[in-house]
């Protein structure tokens, strides 16, 4: 298959380009498109054959369910049933934007989007290209991140092609994305809002919204076995093509990292990925990707995946990532680095 790449203005997408891309979706094809978080690999969520093609193209496990994307809040009822009032209120608060909610799956959707579950994950993205494509297609669009299964998520069209060229019909190239890390996935159970995957909406933002919406409700972070309620959150996800060692914790990370680099044999060919200050403090690596100022987690999120992809292709043999955060968007960045890591070194205070 020949994969086409069509440039598109991210803020004011050309209606005729969108109409042609929507036609590809309607006839069951695969179209990669930008969202504010990462590029998605889209197909008609109501077509079993189209959804099957997503799993084939990505090499994705069949029990790893997909997010269904809609263009208006009203469409939530078209893809889900029995949506709880708190779930709906959270959608109304954070949509369009990087929040995904879980609800009971509507019979109109292809069963395969649920990966064997009765539920469906739903999100209304804010990216103008994504919204225009869903609207023009006239169907909800199932879209996982547009990378090979388990690999680093794509934040630019080039990353999509690096993984999926020849396996999909089309890439809409709207330039680099803004958030850079996937949506936050939540499931409401009774009075509990469970974070199944940290992402573009921080736990603090969620807690603030939940406190206003329902005084009795609480936000909890699912971990370990609970998080396997969201199977895509398995460890060893998001992994770059070369092994990654993560140095993390509340301790003196730059010191620990400098010692680690000094002790590593030169044949390790270590490349570094860290916020600016740590990057400046650590010498003796073969390449560096700077994630931005220490106190700018939104910048870290935006740069993370492109940085990992740059380092896996730079000739280095291993990546050393140095990162810690105990709140905000940095939590999602740290979550992804932990899942990308083959080895984690904890440095206590
Ligand atoms: O930002 C995003 O969420 C991006 C863009 C393209 O929208 N999409 C994305 O999709 O990250 P994907 O497939 O790479 O990750 C979907 C996540 C996985 O962790 C999966 O387990 C979870 O959502 N998920 C999907 N359906 C679910 C369900 N029914 N129940 C629980 N978790 C679900
Ligand atoms: Mg993914």
């Amino acid at each position: 298959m020949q994969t086409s790449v069509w440039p598109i203005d991210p803020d004011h997408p050309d209606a005729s380009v969108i109409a042609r891309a929507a036609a590809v979706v309607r006839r069951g094809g695969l179209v990669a498109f930008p969202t504010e978080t990462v590029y998605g690999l889209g197909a008609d969520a109501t077509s079993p054959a189209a959804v099957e093609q997503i799993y084939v193209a990505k090499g994705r496990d069949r029990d790893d369910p997909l997010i269904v994307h809609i263009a208006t809040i009203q469409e939530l009822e078209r893809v889900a049933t029995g949506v709880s009032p708190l779930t709906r209120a959270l959608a109304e608060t954070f949509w369009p934007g990087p929040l995904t909610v879980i609800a009971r799956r509507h019979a109109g959707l292809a069963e395969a989007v649920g990966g064997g579950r009765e539920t469906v994950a739903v999100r209304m993205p804010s990216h103008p290209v994504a919204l225009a494509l869903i609207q023009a297609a006239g169907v909800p669009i199932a879209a996982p991140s547009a990378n090979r299964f388990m690999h680093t998520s794509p934040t630019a069209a080039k990353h999509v092609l690096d993984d999926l060229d020849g396996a999909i019909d089309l890439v809409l190239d709207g330039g680099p994305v803004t958030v850079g890390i996937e949506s936050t996935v939540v499931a409401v159970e009774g009075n509990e809002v469970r974070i199944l995957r940290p992402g573009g909406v921080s736990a603090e933002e969620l807690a603030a919204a939940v406190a206003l919406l329902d005084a009795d409700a609480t936000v909890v972070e699912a971990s370990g076995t609970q998080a396997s309620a969201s199977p895509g959150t398995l460890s060893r996800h998001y992994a770059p093509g070369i092994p990654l060692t993560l140095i993390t914790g509340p301790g003196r990370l730059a010191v620990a990292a400098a010692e680690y680099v000094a002790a590593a044999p030169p044949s390790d060919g270590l490349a570094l990925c860290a916020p600016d200050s740590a990057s400046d403090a650590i010498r003796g690596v073969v390449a560096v990707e700077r994630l931005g100022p220490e106190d700018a987690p939104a910048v870290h999120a935006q740069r993370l995946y492109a940085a990992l992809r740059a380092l896996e292709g730079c000739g280095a043999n291993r990546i050393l990532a140095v990162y810690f955060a105990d709140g905000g968007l940095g939590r999602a960045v740290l979550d992804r680095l932990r899942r990308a890591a083959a080895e984690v070194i904890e440095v206590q205070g």
Side-chain angles (χ1 to χ4, degrees):
M1 173 189 305
Q2 175 91 26
T3 300
S4 306
V5 182
W6 298 346
I8 191 154
D9 185 317
D11 301 315
H12 304 99
D14 182 321
S16 69
V17 175
I18 289 291
R20 283 190 290 144
V24 176
V25 171
R26 269 201 310 275
R27 67 166 163 72
L30 296 182
V31 176
F33 60 97
T35 80
E36 71 278 21
T37 57
V38 300
Y39 272 70
L41 178 58
D44 177 354
T46 67
S47 160
V51 170
E52 167 64 17
Q53 288 314 305
I54 292 179
Y55 286 96
V56 171
K58 286 197 60 156
R60 184 176 175 114
D61 281 354
R62 293 296 192 289
D63 63 356
D64 190 355
L66 310 175
I67 297 175
V68 172
H69 296 68
I70 56 178
T72 63
I73 298 226
Q74 290 70 38
E75 285 164 74
L76 181 53
E77 264 71 42
R78 189 175 160 190
V79 298
T81 60
V83 177
S84 75
L86 184 52
T87 300
R88 170 167 263 281
L90 286 173
E92 281 168 358
T93 304
F94 291 103
W95 288 358
L99 183 77
T100 295
V101 301
I102 309 292
R104 186 161 269 279
R105 190 175 68 249
H106 194 287
L109 293 180
E111 221 178 303
V113 300
R117 288 145 201 273
E118 299 295 306
T119 52
V120 63
V122 189
R123 166 164 122 80
M124 175 182 170
S126 64
H127 197 294
V129 171
L131 290 173
L133 180 67
I134 301 161
Q135 213 127 40
V139 289
I141 293 185
S145 50
N147 50 276
R148 262 186 302 105
F149 188 49
M150 307 284 263
H151 192 212
T152 312
S153 298
T155 54
K158 178 189 178 301
H159 303 157
V160 178
L161 289 172
D162 286 345
D163 279 20
L164 299 172
D165 195 11
I168 64 177
D169 295 280
L170 173 64
V171 182
L172 289 176
D173 182 355
V177 302
T178 51
V179 177
I181 214 153
E182 298 85 345
S183 61
T184 302
V185 180
V186 298
V188 176
E189 277 158 46
N191 276 338
E192 254 181 28
V193 178
R194 289 211 177 136
I195 301 179
L196 302 182
R197 177 180 74 178
V201 173
S202 70
E204 292 86 348
E205 287 174 282
L206 263 178
V210 166
L212 290 176
L213 294 169
D214 183 341
D216 296 328
T218 53
V219 174
V220 297
E221 286 173 64
S223 61
T225 49
Q226 273 189 338
S228 72
S230 201
T233 55
L234 294 170
S235 50
R236 287 282 314 146
H237 236 85
Y238 312 100
I242 56 176
L244 183 147
T245 296
L246 170 64
I247 296 188
T248 187
R252 290 161 29 108
L253 297 189
V255 174
E259 283 170 12
Y260 184 91
V261 173
S267 60
D268 269 17
L270 279 178
L272 180 68
C273 177
D276 294 351
S277 54
S279 300
D280 293 338
I282 299 160
R283 308 267 160 224
V285 292
V286 299
V288 181
E289 282 289 325
R290 299 157 62 95
L291 292 177
E294 202 76 38
D295 57 354
V299 178
H300 309 162
Q302 205 176 47
R303 293 187 184 169
L304 177 68
Y305 290 143
L308 295 180
R309 280 180 180 260
L311 293 179
E312 75 181 8
C314 77
N317 298 325
R318 292 205 291 133
I319 296 171
L320 180 66
V322 181
Y323 199 81
F324 184 68
D326 56 10
L329 211 49
R331 285 285 280 277
V333 173
L334 182 55
D335 170 79
R336 300 309 190 270
L337 279 169
R338 283 186 181 281
R339 294 177 202 289
E343 177 192 22
V344 179
I345 297 171
E346 307 278 349
V347 182
Q348 298 308 323

